[in-house]
Amino acid sequence: MTGSFASDDIVAALKAAAEPTRLRILLLLAGGELSVKDLTVILGQSQPRISRHLKLLTEAGLIERFREGSWAYFHVSDRSAGGRLALDILALVDRDDRVVARDRERADALKSEREAAAQTYFQAHAADWDRIRALHIAERDVEQAISDALGPGPFDLLVDLGTGTGRILELLADRYERGLGFDLSNAMLAYARSKLSTSKLGQAQVRHGDIYDLSLQDEVADVVIMHQVLHFLSEPALALREAARVLAPGGRLLIVDFAPHDLEFLREEHAHDRLGFAPAQVENWMKDSGLVPKLQRDLAPSPGSEPEVLTVSLWLGEQPREAKNRDRSARSRTLQEAP
């Protein structure tokens, strides 16, 4: 067992986990963050019953809770003693058990539905996506902050995850030898290719790709950017881990997204899965992915702005130079072979 625990705490934790539904909840939350609503759909039980189980698990320290607007999300964190104890307990569970497998299938289906809703939104708004962004933030100021955070370069390979219209590839075109943008929306990719072609950016390309499973080898990118992407994802931490995987030693990950807010209409009307992110939340995800946080900056709207104008946050993380050992010539060959 990882770490040490007081005997009373162990007894309380084991009592909390020793109930079929609560054990199923722990297994689901070990696989990713879920809301009360998500769990009621997956498990087919009432909201009061699920809330009661979550309360007991939280009080026992086995799971953590955080709020986004009117929603609450829960997860098992390996940064806490209780979370590590929960993971030790779950390691004993047969993952091929019929009930466990069914819960996992329902959770996967729910996440797929949410991702599909986001893709439907992207396809409906591909041509005016830049305009929609401008409704919420001062894009000019954000782009200047992105430029300042990354510095002048040059970068061998810059990767833009959730590239959308390809604006980031266009903005930073003078700083990289090769740029790759990945997106799941074919409509977005078609629009981005058109823009890049018009701008005559031959060193920039866009590819259809899964942000959770990139078609790139390890350690190939000098810079990875995730601009206004995380709030659409059901598993932001997993996306950060994949971004960190492709970063070279000394490479940097820049995340640009909204600070926490309570504009609930963005969930239904604009497919936002998350209502912004607290600074510590993203920094912890970076640390869990092996990155060193280097910068966190908030860009607040000017006084007198409309209520819909949101604060934008930037996070910059760096891959430690000593974390991986790979010579430059081998990396250059990988770059040439990148898709």
Side-chain angles (χ1 to χ4, degrees), residues 228-248:
Q228 298 294 0
V229 172
L230 283 192
H231 60 252
F232 289 110
L233 302 180
S234 58
E235 295 287 351
L238 184 60
L240 260 74
R241 194 174 303 126
E242 180 66 356
R245 178 187 67 78
V246 303
L247 275 178

Side-chain angles (χ1 to χ4, degrees), residues 162-332:
T163 192
T165 65
R167 174 56 187 161
I168 293 298
L169 294 173
E170 187 179 34
L171 174 69
L172 302 171
D174 62 343
R175 306 190 193 190
Y176 57 81
E177 293 184 15
R178 187 177 184 199
L180 281 175
F182 289 90
D183 207 294
L184 276 176
S185 170
N186 290 321
M188 280 292 191
L189 292 171
Y191 186 67
R193 287 190 180 101
S194 176
K195 285 189 66 176
L196 295 175
S197 176
T198 301
S199 302
K200 298 182 179 180
L201 298 181
Q203 80 276 31
Q205 300 170 319
V206 293
R207 295 283 185 271
H208 187 272
D210 185 348
I211 200 169
Y212 299 123
D213 187 18
L214 298 170
S215 56
L216 290 174
Q217 296 185 32
D218 296 352
E219 310 172 40
V220 296
D222 294 289
V223 172
V224 175
I225 299 176
M226 304 174 76
H227 178 215
Q228 298 294 0
V229 172
L230 283 192
H231 60 252
F232 289 110
L233 302 180
S234 58
E235 295 287 351
L238 184 60
L240 260 74
R241 194 174 303 126
E242 180 66 356
R245 178 187 67 78
V246 303
L247 275 178
R252 285 170 281 176
L253 169 63
L254 178 65
I255 294 172
V256 184
D257 218 291
F258 295 126
H261 62 86
D262 58 2
L263 299 184
E264 294 284 348
F265 76 92
L266 290 177
R267 292 193 199 271
E268 297 299 326
E269 297 182 21
H270 297 289
H272 288 207
D273 196 75
R274 311 295 287 272
L275 296 183
F277 303 92
Q281 187 176 29
V282 176
E283 289 177 358
N284 284 335
W285 286 336
M286 284 185 168
K287 293 175 184 176
D288 289 346
S289 299
L291 303 180
V292 179
K294 292 291 187 179
L295 168 73
Q296 195 282 316
R297 180 182 177 190
D298 290 329
L299 302 175
S302 59
S305 298
E306 295 295 327
E308 290 81 9
V309 180
L310 304 176
T311 295
V312 173
S313 297
L314 287 81
W315 295 265
L316 184 70
E318 184 175 285
Q319 184 75 267
R321 294 184 181 276
E322 68 276 9
K324 300 173 183 177
N325 183 18
R326 184 177 187 170
D327 64 54
R328 190 71 177 181
S329 61
R331 180 164 173 259
S332 296

